[in-house]
Amino acid sequence: MAENGREASEPIQMFVAEESLEQVRLLQTYAQGLPGLDVTGTFLEGEALLRALQNGRAPHIVVLNLVLRDMDAIELLERAQGLALSKRPCVLVTSGARNGNIHEKLLALGVDHCLVKPYSMQNLFDRARLLCQKGGGRRAWLNWLIEEHLEQYGIGWGEGYWYMLKAVRRVVLAEHPVRMVEDVYNAVAQEEGVSMGAVESSLRRTLGEAKEAATPAFRQLERLQKSRGKKMTVGAFLNMVGQMVKNEYEGRVR
């Protein structure tokens, strides 16, 4: 059975394009330890990547940094649209920018996903697999959806990120209205082997960082909560994000 132009048993072929040779080598080294995935091309310059695509070396996915040595991803993707390719690969763009306008431009140019730095290698390759396979399972899809939302709201990488991800997941999967203390904070604390106070404190600190980042998506949530005459608390944030993720998740897994 073919999935995204690929037989299910066929290894995922990946191009990696980065401005940093060191980062290219790190990605290559990490990928070598992963089954079913081959990095078949590495590039520091967009011109070389475009030539490879033009010559019929289209992989299943291109992991593309926002900035290369000779052009940015937007210019590269605009030029790639004019290429006569027999198949078009999935594209995952990595970027240190949280600029919503840039991400919207990239998505309009056909990018399948934008991953904000810093990221873990495992997270990057998990997302690449999902884009190619659409077979990562319900748990993987749910985690991905949650991560997409957390990035939009300015939740940075770190301990609080993981607590927030697991907390939102518990809200999504709950079959009844959640009790934040018992069903979320305490459950995450037991899962992580820490105190409930540590989880609660970390979540509050992480929400505070998101408020300072003030991304467009987060400001929209705050306006909605304010229109209800309520403050943006951790519990409110978890419930709001959880409901949005739940709607998307249920739509995708039906």
Side-chain angles (χ1 to χ4, degrees), residues 153 207-234 236-237 240-241 244:
Y153 302 129
L207 182 63
E209 292 169 356
K211 288 181 178 180
E212 289 183 9
T215 66
F218 189 86
R219 290 199 300 270
Q220 185 176 1
L221 278 190
E222 282 193 309
R223 286 194 295 270
L224 177 58
Q225 188 70 348
K226 187 175 181 180
S227 70
R228 298 169 176 170
K230 299 179 180 179
K231 294 182 178 180
M232 179 61 77
T233 62
V234 171
F237 179 79
M240 295 170 80
V241 175
M244 286 185 286

Side-chain angles (χ1 to χ4, degrees), residues 3-246:
E3 297 175 339
N4 284 356
R6 182 185 73 88
E7 294 297 323
S9 60
E10 181 186 358
I12 295 171
Q13 297 176 10
M14 175 186 291
F15 278 1
V16 172
E18 273 275 355
E19 66 173 338
S20 164
L21 180 58
E22 179 183 3
Q23 184 67 8
V24 166
R25 288 172 174 167
L26 286 173
L27 290 165
Q28 271 189 302
T29 301
Y30 194 91
Q32 287 172 358
L34 300 176
L37 193 151
D38 294 328
V39 175
T40 55
T42 59
F43 307 88
L44 299 174
E45 297 181 347
E47 289 289 355
L49 174 54
L50 289 169
R51 282 197 301 271
L53 294 173
Q54 182 72 71
N55 292 335
R57 290 184 57 205
H60 300 114
I61 186 165
V62 176
V63 175
L64 172 65
N65 191 48
L66 180 62
V67 179
L68 301 180
R69 291 188 175 181
D70 57 347
M71 66 182 72
D72 62 24
I74 292 175
E75 179 183 349
L76 186 146
L77 291 165
E78 288 174 339
R79 291 178 58 182
Q81 288 182 334
L83 300 180
L85 304 180
S86 57
K87 66 174 182 177
R88 292 194 174 271
C90 296
V91 180
L92 187 159
V93 172
T94 61
S95 166
R98 294 185 179 274
N99 188 315
N101 292 331
I102 291 177
H103 291 180
E104 287 176 11
K105 178 69 171 177
L106 290 167
L107 294 172
L109 288 168
V111 169
D112 295 279
H113 187 67
C114 298
L115 181 60
V116 177
K117 297 178 180 180
Y119 55 78
S120 73
M121 291 290 184
Q122 188 63 53
N123 190 23
L124 171 67
F125 287 106
D126 281 349
R127 289 175 183 234
R129 287 183 187 279
L130 282 170
L131 288 174
C132 291
Q133 296 176 335
K134 298 297 187 288
R138 291 190 173 193
R139 182 184 179 89
W141 270 114
L142 177 55
N143 283 350
W144 191 19
L145 286 172
I146 295 171
E147 289 168 1
E148 285 184 314
H149 278 274
L150 294 185
E151 288 174 8
Q152 291 175 18
Y153 302 129
I155 305 296
W157 197 264
E159 176 190 85
Y161 180 96
W162 290 111
Y163 289 170
M164 194 70 79
L165 185 152
K166 293 180 178 184
V168 172
R169 187 169 65 214
R170 289 189 174 276
V171 173
V172 173
L173 296 177
E175 297 181 355
H176 54 77
V178 296
R179 301 164 298 175
M180 279 296 158
V181 174
E182 295 88 347
D183 299 335
V184 179
Y185 303 153
N186 191 48
V188 172
Q190 289 182 0
E191 183 180 349
E192 292 294 301
V194 299
S195 69
M196 187 176 70
V199 170
E200 205 169 353
S201 175
S202 182
L203 290 175
R204 282 199 303 269
R205 183 169 59 253
T206 303
L207 182 63
E209 292 169 356
K211 288 181 178 180
E212 289 183 9
T215 66
F218 189 86
R219 290 199 300 270
Q220 185 176 1
L221 278 190
E222 282 193 309
R223 286 194 295 270
L224 177 58
Q225 188 70 348
K226 187 175 181 180
S227 70
R228 298 169 176 170
K230 299 179 180 179
K231 294 182 178 180
M232 179 61 77
T233 62
V234 171
F237 179 79
L238 293 176
N239 274 320
M240 295 170 80
V241 175
Q243 188 57 55
M244 286 185 286
V245 171
K246 186 171 186 175

